Amino acid sequence: MRLVQLSRHNIAFPSPEGALREPNGLLALGGDLSPARLLMAYQRGIFPWFSPGDPILWWSPDPRAVLWPAQFHVSRSMKRFHAKSPYRVTLNHAFGQVIEGCAEDRHEGTWITRDIITAYHQLHELGYAHSIEVWDGGELVGGMYGVAQGTLFCGESMFSRAANASKSALLVFCQEFAHRGGQLMDCQVLNEHTASLGAVEISRRHYIEHLDNCRQEKLPRDFWVPRTLFLPNA
């Protein structure tokens, strides 16, 4: 296995099966962040992740962390909070503010460069990248964004500026996503936070099988239309 250098003139990727074992899932470097290349990557179970000043790095880890939306784990404390939640949750109302919020978050932001922000803005304008926003009155206090692949949603990052804001985004989205036919959420790599919410690990091979199947399916045509998903005390 060896790290592949991508050409800026060809958007093709090598097989994810050729990714390195250490660091886990590193497949290639270089290329660019054009919409065509990003979409090709997501279609093959690959995503970009790199630090400022480094070359673009492309990953496809094995195992892969996923979350079945209907199995999202809601703790007792979160159930109590959500029952009296002060937050309004919307879909695709403020993509730019959400990705900027993720970039500013000290835990999530080190890899969200200006180039990443520009690239995912382009995917949003093309209808592939989407945001979930959490509002306290008129203030954005949390949210998440990711890339849709049929009935699979690839979660990229989330942020929170108030208690349970990012959890509220994920909870409300999972409920709506599952209700309208969503099958699976990609969490990329398992960590303590995603595991506590119900994420599990599956093999890369099984993830790509699910991805291929989900890409052949479609959510209702109006699913990604900007709208309110949850109102407090509603």
Side-chain angles (χ1 to χ4, degrees):
M1 296 182 181
R2 63 183 181 85
L3 193 59
V4 175
Q5 173 74 54
L6 299 180
S7 165
R8 295 184 68 89
H9 308 292
N10 185 339
I11 65 170
F13 283 91
S15 168
E17 295 300 322
L20 300 180
R21 292 191 178 94
E22 184 60 40
N24 179 21
L26 182 56
L27 176 67
L29 78 160
D32 58 25
L33 294 171
S34 67
R37 190 186 299 272
L38 281 170
L39 291 174
M40 177 65 72
Y42 280 99
Q43 290 166 8
R44 302 204 67 190
I46 301 164
F47 59 88
W49 185 84
F50 58 98
S51 299
D54 288 346
I56 302 170
L57 300 178
W58 302 90
W59 304 77
S60 184
D62 187 16
R64 188 79 165 228
V66 298
L67 174 64
W68 275 271
Q71 296 178 13
F72 177 77
H73 175 70
V74 187
S75 66
R76 290 181 180 178
S77 60
M78 186 61 193
K79 286 180 181 178
R80 289 194 296 270
F81 178 88
H82 189 61
K84 299 180 180 180
S85 175
Y87 301 145
R88 175 172 56 95
V89 182
T90 58
L91 175 68
N92 281 333
H93 276 213
F95 183 89
Q97 289 178 255
V98 168
I99 196 169
E100 292 283 354
C102 292
E104 293 166 4
D105 187 281
R106 66 180 184 274
H107 299 296
E108 299 283 352
T110 55
W111 66 277
I112 304 178
T113 65
R114 299 314 305 179
D115 288 342
I116 285 283
I117 291 172
T118 298
Y120 283 82
H121 263 294
Q122 292 176 321
L123 285 189
H124 176 64
E125 291 168 359
L126 292 170
Y128 294 100
H130 306 282
S131 60
I132 299 89
E133 304 88 16
V134 180
W135 308 87
D136 189 354
E139 180 184 2
L140 182 70
V141 296
M144 56 182 281
Y145 77 94
V147 177
Q149 291 289 296
T151 56
L152 186 150
F153 186 71
C154 303
E156 280 297 313
S157 184
M158 59 174 56
F159 79 101
S160 183
R161 296 172 181 158
N164 294 316
S166 59
K167 286 184 180 179
S168 295
L170 187 57
L171 168 61
V172 171
F173 177 73
C174 279
Q175 290 175 338
E176 180 72 4
F177 190 54
H179 177 68
R180 300 291 298 277
Q183 297 295 314
L184 190 64
M185 286 191 64
D186 171 28
C187 302
Q188 298 178 350
V189 178
L190 194 67
N191 58 41
E192 184 177 350
H193 177 64
T194 54
S196 72
L197 300 176
V200 297
E201 291 182 326
I202 61 175
S203 70
R204 177 170 52 218
R205 179 172 61 85
H206 284 147
Y207 171 75
I208 291 175
E209 288 175 358
H210 285 299
L211 171 63
D212 289 343
N213 290 333
C214 288
R215 288 187 57 239
Q216 304 307 313
E217 301 175 352
K218 293 183 179 181
L219 294 170
R221 185 175 298 178
D222 65 345
F223 183 84
W224 296 113
V225 172
R227 64 187 190 279
T228 297
L229 300 179
F230 178 82
L231 286 171
N233 303 316

